[in-house]
Amino acid sequence: MLIDRYLPRCDVSLEFETTVDARAEEVYHAIRETDLRDPIISALFALRELPQRLARRLHGQPPPAPPRITFGTMIQDGPGWTLLAEQPDQELVVGSVGRFWERDYGGRTVTAGEFVGFNEPGYAKLVIGFSVRPGPIGETVLRYEARTLSTDDTARRKFRRYWRLIRPGVSMVMRAALHRIKLTAEHQGVAS
């Protein structure tokens, strides 16, 4: 799998898989194009971003309009996300480097070529991989995997504390995202 090229070992990981009644290319398209905002995801992001929203309010700044969030727009416009590798209609791998436990995520921009060798102390590297493959009875298997590796012991301790706090929310968000991707792909399959 492509994810193994970019983060073959990790401190923490999260994996989910679901079957989709649609062709692989429809599922892959849905990975990039499905709007991931829903009430649960919006509420969890609002909770995570509460300090920034309060600071904006204290400074008299209006709240930002909720954007359409897709994995495609995250790759193009999202701060700190880098497309690491892609096999169209099969796999997509994106990465980010940051101090995710900090209020502003402590993002550090790195290119795909710099990602593997990045080891500056005080950071964590996050890789998210999606893959689609044929299932045993004609369906498509959609798989999500996230891996995080810290660059030193101090960052590892900070990230693990943060991870214990956010893991349940991240699990909910990613299960909801997979469900939305599944529904989008199945709807595309019906429409075509």
Side-chain angles (χ1 to χ4, degrees):
M1 291 183 59
L2 290 176
I3 195 170
D4 294 326
R5 292 183 194 168
Y6 293 92
L7 215 56
R9 62 182 185 83
C10 60
D11 298 325
V12 299
S13 66
L14 189 63
E15 303 169 28
F16 296 110
E17 200 171 87
T18 190
T19 57
V20 184
D21 188 21
R23 296 187 326 261
E25 57 270 14
E26 292 165 337
V27 177
Y28 193 83
H29 178 77
I31 291 168
R32 285 182 152 271
E33 299 303 322
T34 299
D35 189 351
L36 302 173
R37 290 280 182 172
D38 72 3
I40 292 172
I41 291 173
S42 295
L44 289 169
F45 274 104
L47 181 62
R48 170 64 170 95
E49 296 165 358
L50 185 61
Q52 292 95 323
R53 291 176 11 163
L54 291 173
R56 289 180 68 87
R57 183 174 285 179
L58 287 172
H59 291 96
Q61 298 171 340
R68 183 173 180 264
I69 295 180
T70 70
F71 283 102
T73 58
M74 284 173 47
I75 295 166
Q76 288 180 321
D77 309 325
W81 288 103
T82 302
L83 175 63
L84 297 175
E86 182 172 25
Q87 287 181 324
D89 297 334
Q90 294 177 23
E91 286 187 73
L92 172 71
V93 179
V94 298
S96 183
V97 173
R99 293 178 173 131
F100 305 112
W101 53 90
E102 292 182 355
R103 188 174 358 152
D104 66 353
Y105 302 101
R108 172 74 186 274
T109 302
V110 297
T111 66
E114 298 168 330
F115 191 87
V116 171
F118 181 86
N119 65 357
E120 187 176 320
Y123 286 91
K125 299 192 300 186
L126 168 64
V127 173
I128 295 175
F130 284 96
S131 65
V132 296
R133 67 180 190 281
I137 55 172
E139 77 282 18
T140 298
V141 177
L142 168 61
R143 178 181 170 79
Y144 161 87
E145 183 174 1
R147 298 177 184 175
T148 305
L149 178 68
S150 302
T151 57
D152 65 11
D153 288 338
T154 301
R156 188 169 295 107
R157 281 191 301 276
K158 289 179 180 180
F159 182 78
R160 285 195 177 182
R161 278 193 304 266
Y162 173 68
W163 183 242
R164 279 192 296 274
L165 179 67
I166 69 157
R167 187 181 197 285
V170 171
S171 294
M172 285 175 45
V173 165
M174 290 318 305
R175 285 177 201 259
L178 281 185
H179 183 70
R180 291 179 71 82
I181 291 167
K182 172 185 171 80
L183 292 177
T184 298
E186 289 176 347
H187 178 71
Q188 287 173 358
V190 169
S192 51

